[in-house]
Structure formats: C-alpha cells, structure tokens
C-alpha cells in the first residue's frame, strides 16, 4: 500500500482501502470468515471514528495510525462489538511533549481484561480462568505462598451480616499441565488504583465513584458506599496477568492492563477518554471493560 496515498485518505475510507489485505491476514490466521469479519468490524470501527466517545482524539491521529489500528483487528481476530464482556475498544491517546509543547494523537485497539484472557488462551499461557470470587470481611479467607506456590483458602459465610464489607477479590487461573495460579486484588491494591483514578480523574481529581467511599446523603448525613462488585471483578480480570510474560498484540494496539502502569511510570503520557463517559466501568479517563462477570465459558464469545 502506498504510504502517501494512505496519508491522504479520509479516516472513514481507510477500512475500504485496507479491505483485501484485512481479509487476507484474517484468513491466513483463522482459516476462513475474513469477508464477514471485515464487514462487521468496518461498521463498528467507522461508528467509533465518526460518533464514538473518542472522536475528538481519533480525528487528530494520522491516517497511517488509523490504518494500523484497524488492521490489528484482523491480526488478533477480536471484535469491537460491545456487551457484557467487551473484548476491545478503539481508543484515542494524547502524548504531550514538554520540549515542543505540542501534543501528538494516536489511535489504539485496546484489549480489555476479557480480551487479554482470550489472547493468553490462544498463546497457550493459560487454559482458562474460573469466575472471580468477591470476599467479605466476615468470610474465612487467607492467601499467600506455600511451598513456592500461591494458595487461597476461602470459606464463604452464609448468610452474610448486613454490615459486611468487601476486602478482596480473587481469580483462579488454570495453567497448562494441570497446574494453577491465583491473583488476589485486596484492599491495598484497590486503594492504589483509587489513588491513580483520582490523580487522572479530571480537574476535580476525584476517583471513579464506583470505587465507593464516604458520601453525604440528601438528609445531610454521611454514609459509606462499598466498591461496586462488577467494577471490582473487571479490575481483577484486568490486572490478573501483570506478572505474566508480556503479550505481543501487534502494531496499533495495547493491553488495557498496561495503561495504569504506563501512566504511573510516565506521568507526562496520559490516556484520554471523553470525560469519563465509558460504558458502566468508567475507569480513569479511558474507556474500559464492562462490569459484568467473566466466565470461562465466555472465552470464545464476541459479546457486548
């Protein structure tokens, strides 16, 4: 493809320009279905470009960058379709250069925790993930390492007292060779994410309301709202693989789990959304995954 021609192509025509190569790449990797997948993703991709939450940022990205993002869908075969376990989003990013005092804009296919699970399954790193489990202070719960292996001991209290509150969420990851691993997101981990959310939470520097916390009711009294359970589950899935080998997702894409790390390590680089209007799990200036429960049976579904 001629780069000069590509750079002169309007964003809403890039999908058609990439059609033949998109179908070829998809069929080479997945066997068949490239034409159907192309038409599906073209409609979803163009809808995000023209009317999506990141329109203002995407229109400032280069045509070459938009092309790379679209082609990444063919490379990894995950859909932009939204639903209960959204696999990826088309997102806009801004990088401010303090030296030139200018911002550059890029488009990236950003894979959610649910999408990352499927990609790691395909890469042979994991077999599946069990349903995440939310732990309350009244439950019998211990986690740590035993004989060099992570362990979780958990017994649910039933019925739970009305004043119970959430202390952790964990997920069991089934690995090849019948081995397994655990990831636990405890209150300390949640508090770190809350601090990050507040840091990049707009002019008022407030954390995402789904993290919970104290608030004043209409009667003037102070109340406490616990962290949203669906939000916590999605965060657990998102960060479950931070110690695993890095996935190669290809040009024009990144993992959602990398966003927090990149922003914390490089404060001058920010991932921008559209004033926290992402569906359900608003995140921190980025559009993130749905709050609903991930199940191992959903790994092959393109829902949302």
């Amino acid at each position: 493809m001629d780069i000069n021609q590509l750079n002169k192509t309007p964003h809403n025509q890039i999908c058609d320009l990439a059609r033949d190569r998109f179908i070829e790449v998809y069929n080479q990797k997945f066997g068949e279905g490239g034409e159907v997948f192309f038409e599906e993703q073209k409609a979803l991709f163009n809808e995000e470009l023209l009317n999506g939450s990141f329109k203002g940022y995407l229109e400032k990205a280069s045509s070459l960058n938009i092309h790379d993002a679209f082609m990444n869908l063919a490379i990894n075969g995950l859909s932009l379709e939204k639903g209960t376990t959204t696999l990826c989003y088309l997102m806009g990013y801004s990088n401010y250069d303090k030296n030139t005092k200018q911002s550059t804009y890029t488009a990236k296919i950003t894979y959610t925790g649910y999408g990352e699970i499927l990609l790691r399954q395909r890469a042979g790193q994991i077999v599946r993930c069990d349903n995440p489990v939310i732990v309350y202070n009244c439950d019998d719960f211990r986690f740590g390492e035993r004989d060099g292996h992570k362990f979780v001991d958990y017994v649910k209290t039933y019925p739970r007292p009305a004043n119970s509150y959430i202390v952790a969420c964990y997920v069991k990851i089934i690995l090849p060779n019948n081995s397994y691993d655990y990831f636990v997101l405890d209150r300390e981990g949640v508090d770190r994410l809350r601090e990050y959310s507040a840091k990049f939470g707009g002019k008022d520097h407030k954390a995402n309301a789904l993290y919970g916390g104290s608030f004043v009711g209409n009667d003037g009294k102070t109340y406490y709202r616990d962290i949203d359970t669906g939000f916590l589950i999605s965060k657990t899935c998102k960060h479950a693989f931070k110690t695993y080998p890095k996935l190669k997702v290809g040009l024009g894409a990144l993992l959602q789990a990398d966003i927090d790390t990149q922003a914390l390590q490089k404060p001058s680089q920010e991932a921008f959304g559209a004033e926290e209007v992402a569906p359900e799990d608003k995140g921190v200036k980025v559009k993130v995954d749905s709050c609903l429960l991930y199940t191992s049976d959903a790994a092959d579904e393109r829902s949302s």
Side-chain angles (χ1 to χ4, degrees), residues 29-243:
K29 190 162 186 179
F30 302 104
E32 59 182 4
E35 290 190 13
V36 173
F37 188 69
F38 168 80
E39 294 297 338
E40 292 174 348
Q41 300 315 302
K42 171 188 170 182
L44 295 168
F45 193 88
N46 282 336
E47 174 63 22
E48 290 300 312
L49 284 178
L50 299 175
N51 303 307
S53 300
F54 299 90
K55 175 184 176 182
Y57 303 100
L58 295 172
E59 65 186 11
K60 297 177 183 179
S62 69
S63 293
L64 177 60
N65 182 237
I66 296 294
H67 170 270
D68 290 342
F70 182 63
M71 286 299 301
N72 192 270
L73 296 172
I75 293 170
N76 288 309
L78 301 190
S79 176
L80 286 170
E81 185 180 1
K82 298 176 184 177
T84 56
T85 54
T86 302
L87 302 176
C88 59
Y89 292 105
L90 174 61
M91 294 173 54
Y93 295 84
S94 172
N95 187 3
Y96 180 73
D97 189 322
K98 291 182 179 179
N99 294 323
T100 64
K101 296 183 179 180
Q102 293 182 339
S103 294
T104 56
Y105 296 86
T106 56
K108 297 283 187 181
I109 297 297
T110 305
Y111 293 98
T112 69
Y114 303 110
E116 183 177 352
I117 287 172
L118 183 51
L119 292 174
R120 291 190 182 276
Q121 285 178 317
R122 289 179 177 174
Q125 293 184 7
I126 68 172
V127 176
R128 71 175 191 277
C129 290
D130 286 351
N131 290 337
V133 178
I134 294 178
V135 183
Y136 290 77
N137 65 313
C138 59
D139 298 332
D140 185 3
F141 179 65
R142 297 179 65 200
F143 69 95
E145 287 196 8
R146 183 183 292 143
D147 299 325
H149 299 283
K150 293 180 182 178
F151 78 91
V152 167
D153 291 334
Y154 169 74
V155 178
K156 177 180 178 179
T157 296
Y158 185 82
R160 289 194 174 109
N163 61 349
S164 300
Y165 57 88
I166 295 171
V167 295
C169 182
Y170 76 89
V171 60
K172 184 177 182 180
I173 304 166
I174 311 303
L175 304 174
N177 303 320
N178 295 319
S179 56
Y180 54 86
D181 187 18
Y182 289 99
F183 174 74
V184 179
L185 183 59
D186 59 13
R187 271 291 175 181
E188 291 181 358
V190 170
D191 288 343
R192 284 193 294 270
L193 294 176
R194 187 202 310 272
E195 291 174 5
Y196 166 71
S197 177
K199 183 175 181 179
F200 293 96
K203 295 180 180 179
D204 56 2
H205 293 289
K206 291 184 178 179
N208 191 326
L210 295 177
Y211 280 105
S214 300
F215 69 98
V216 178
N218 294 331
D219 56 2
K221 296 181 180 179
T222 300
Y223 297 90
Y224 175 79
R225 180 187 294 113
D226 212 343
I227 185 171
D228 180 86
T229 55
F231 181 75
L232 177 59
I233 286 171
S234 71
K235 288 293 182 184
T236 303
C237 290
K238 174 180 173 181
H239 293 281
F241 304 101
K242 61 183 181 181
T243 62

